[in-house]
Amino acid sequence: MIDGPVVIVGTGQAGFQTAASLRLEGFGGKISMLGDEPGLPYQRPPLSKAFFREGNAERLLFRNRDFFEKNNINFRERCPVRAIDRQKKQVVLDDAATMPYQHLVLATGTRNRNLPIGGTDLKNVMALRTLEDANRIRETARAGQRVVMIGGGFIGLELAGVLNEFGCQVTVIEAESRPMARSVSERISSYFVELHSRNGIAIHCNSMVSRIFGNDRAEGVELADGREIGADLVFICAGVVPNSEIGSEAGLETSNGILVDEMLLTNDPDISAIGDCASFVHRGSGRLVRLESVQNAADQAKCVAKRLAGDPSPYDAVPWFWSDQGGKKLQIAGLTGHAGQLICRGDEENDKLTVFAFENDRFVGVETVGMAANYVVARKILETGRDLTLSDFENSDFDLREVLKKTG
Ligand SMILES: Cc1cc2nc3c(=O)[nH]c(=O)nc-3n(C[C@H](O)[C@H](O)[C@H](O)COP(=O)(O)OP(=O)(O)OC[C@H]3O[C@@H](n4cnc5c(N)ncnc54)[C@H](O)[C@@H]3O)c2cc1C
């Protein structure tokens, strides 16, 4: 338990939640939240979903300005932290001013990966990460425009769906053999390829963009096989890189993010790292992971806040995630990316699908579309921490409620 100042770097999902949870846990010390973006902390998921239609930035805010005043949280916007001085236990701000901490929480998130190809600096080439990006997209996109998305991950496909609905002609270029390949099973990828194609989106897999061409403004993309696709707008949705540099430059260990132990502590016991910027060993699978999800950012923040307020316990929340695409909701419980055995149930024709995922015969999670009850029960099963095998599911005819009963 500490009582001195807690400094939080990054005011996104994880940074905001840390400050709010510290107060909920009764922490009475000084809290500073330092973020480099303008404005109050906001939620990112709607940026590639409802925000394009609604444009209501107020609705994205976690809390209004009063919340920070009432809870005595020193929130500072447009305040990038440049360095950490671990010897003096202080952070260095842009103007070389310093701020001392007893405990430092790094919640610096990720930034979009740029591509090493020509033309990324042309005028109508965009990416989506921040509210500023989303506002720019809303101001620029017009119905009827030809849009090329480079990258068919979650954000690329969500944005593709939204722009298609708005009346743009959307083409998605994906380097892998299927979209969302890193994160979901083949069955879910093919379901969404089918759905988006039906809605009029062209998806090209196994295709690399070699350059974006145009003078001043992008006019299209050229693929590695020489094909050209004309475009009025080009989006780079090629994944992200963790903002771990302020950690590594201060001597913190990193490996695809800032490395933390099961308590979410870095190799410096006075510094925690959480959310999209942090790599940790997932307890269920033993794998080193860095998760990019609201659940992980919020739950890790709560875990750190509890520890700082005197109630420590290791982080072992069950990962879950959702994505809205083409009017359908994908829900995932557990880490299904490495599953070797997949069993599908549902009625795909009617947009109902559950993929049960097993790794070395062990149940690791589900992916669902239109079958929210399965997702909810699967989370409960995973939360029990009990090891279940494929035969447990076969014996219950893949009825998750029956499986859950067995865990009790
Ligand atoms: C368009 C979009 C859609 C998404 N949709 C979903 C979804 O449907 N479901 C889901 O679970 N997740 C979704 N996500 C992911 C989710 O938003 C992130 O996992 C979550 O925001 C991570 O929170 P974080 O606090 O770790 O990082 P962030 O929210 O990225 O916050 C990090 C903050 O730190 C700031 N920062 C970085 N370095 C410094 C520094 N040196 N000094 C000061 N500030 C700094 C950054 O500018 C940023 O403001 C989406 C993300 C995006 C961009």
Side-chain angles (χ1 to χ4, degrees):
M1 181 160 163
I2 62 162
D3 53 11
V6 174
V7 172
I8 302 163
V9 185
T11 55
Q13 186 87 40
F16 166 77
Q17 189 65 56
T18 306
S21 295
L22 274 169
R23 288 295 182 239
L24 275 175
E25 296 291 335
F27 175 74
K30 188 169 180 191
I31 302 174
S32 294
M33 285 175 69
L34 313 176
D36 57 4
E37 288 189 61
L40 290 167
Y42 62 92
Q43 308 165 58
R44 293 184 203 280
L47 298 180
S48 52
K49 305 178 183 73
F51 181 76
F52 183 82
R53 283 187 298 275
E54 297 168 3
N56 187 344
E58 287 279 302
R59 285 182 63 174
L60 303 180
L61 299 182
F62 291 110
R63 292 295 165 88
N64 59 26
R65 212 165 278 278
D66 287 355
F67 172 85
F68 298 93
E69 278 158 29
K70 276 190 197 137
N71 284 283
N72 192 19
I73 295 167
N74 173 28
F75 165 71
R76 290 177 63 179
E77 58 190 278
R78 298 177 205 268
C79 182
V81 171
R82 295 295 178 209
I84 305 165
D85 184 338
R86 286 170 56 199
Q87 245 83 53
K88 293 187 180 152
K89 290 182 67 168
Q90 60 187 22
V91 292
V92 183
L93 308 182
D94 221 10
D95 51 4
T98 56
M99 185 180 278
Y101 62 81
Q102 183 178 356
H103 196 86
L104 179 65
V105 180
L106 298 176
T108 49
T110 57
R111 59 184 178 276
N112 286 329
R113 185 191 300 281
N114 205 349
L115 289 175
I117 57 172
T120 56
D121 53 349
L122 292 171
K123 262 186 194 147
N124 44 341
V125 177
M126 297 191 255
L128 174 57
R129 176 90 208 149
T130 65
L131 177 57
E132 247 176 328
D133 296 334
N135 278 326
R136 195 171 148 232
I137 295 169
R138 291 191 82 245
E139 282 157 19
T140 315
R142 296 282 168 270
Q145 279 177 328
R146 296 160 308 159
V147 173
V148 167
M149 320 288 312
I150 307 179
F154 288 116
I155 294 174
L157 288 186
E158 287 181 356
L159 196 54
V162 161
L163 290 170
N164 174 63
E165 206 181 282
F166 179 63
C168 296
Q169 296 169 40
V170 185
T171 303
V172 178
I173 312 291
E174 169 56 52
E176 300 281 333
S177 58
R178 60 187 177 92
M180 304 181 284
R182 267 191 317 126
S183 326
V184 302
S185 67
E186 206 162 348
R187 187 67 174 265
I188 292 291
S189 292
S190 65
Y191 168 82
F192 278 99
V193 167
E194 173 71 22
L195 174 75
H196 288 304
S197 306
R198 236 174 23 232
N199 290 345
I201 298 172
I203 301 183
H204 301 279
C205 293
N206 296 311
S207 302
M208 296 282 287
V209 172
S210 52
R211 70 181 180 113
I212 304 169
F213 60 84
N215 300 309
D216 189 37
R217 295 179 63 79
E219 287 161 22
V221 300
E222 186 183 311
L223 304 188
D225 63 10
R227 270 180 298 162
E228 288 188 355
I229 300 175
D232 304 301
L233 287 181
V234 175
F235 287 91
I236 300 179
C237 299
V240 296
V241 285
N243 292 322
S244 49
E245 290 81 358
I246 59 163
S248 55
E249 284 159 14
L252 300 182
E253 285 171 21
T254 57
S255 175
N256 180 32
I258 303 169
L259 263 182
V260 292
D261 64 14
E262 73 279 9
M263 303 303 286
L264 307 176
L265 279 168
T266 65
N267 53 311
D268 180 332
D270 298 319
I271 306 180
S272 304
I274 55 172
D276 283 15
C277 72
S279 303
F280 64 102
V281 175
H282 171 244
R283 289 185 110 199
S285 66
R287 281 203 177 82
L288 184 68
V289 295
R290 189 179 58 72
L291 301 180
E292 294 159 19
S293 74
V294 164
Q295 171 278 321
N296 182 64
D299 285 345
Q300 290 196 331
K302 289 174 194 167
C303 179
V304 165
K306 275 181 112 109
R307 164 163 49 80
L308 296 179
D311 183 12
S313 60
Y315 179 70
D316 70 348
V318 169
W320 53 265
F321 185 80
W322 82 95
S323 172
D324 296 331
Q325 297 179 31
K328 302 295 170 213
K329 187 178 280 297
L330 166 67
Q331 291 173 293
I332 303 175
L335 290 185
T336 54
H338 293 271
Q341 293 154 290
L342 301 168
I343 311 282
C344 302
R345 289 285 187 275
D347 173 9
E348 211 173 316
E349 300 264 290
N350 288 304
D351 300 301
K352 289 188 190 312
L353 182 60
T354 297
V355 179
F356 297 85
F358 299 86
E359 195 179 338
N360 302 323
D361 206 41
R362 206 174 130 257
F363 177 60
V364 291
V366 299
E367 304 163 337
T368 67
V369 177
M371 298 180 83
N374 272 353
Y375 156 79
V376 172
V377 184
R379 264 177 65 181
K380 286 190 183 145
I381 291 173
L382 292 165
E383 275 160 11
T384 66
R386 286 275 304 275
D387 269 353
L388 292 166
T389 61
L390 179 55
S391 54
D392 291 317
F393 285 72
E394 283 168 342
N395 295 339
S396 305
D397 201 20
F398 289 88
D399 180 336
L400 282 171
R401 283 189 190 82
E402 284 301 312
V403 178
L404 181 61
K405 274 188 209 154
K406 285 187 184 166
T407 65

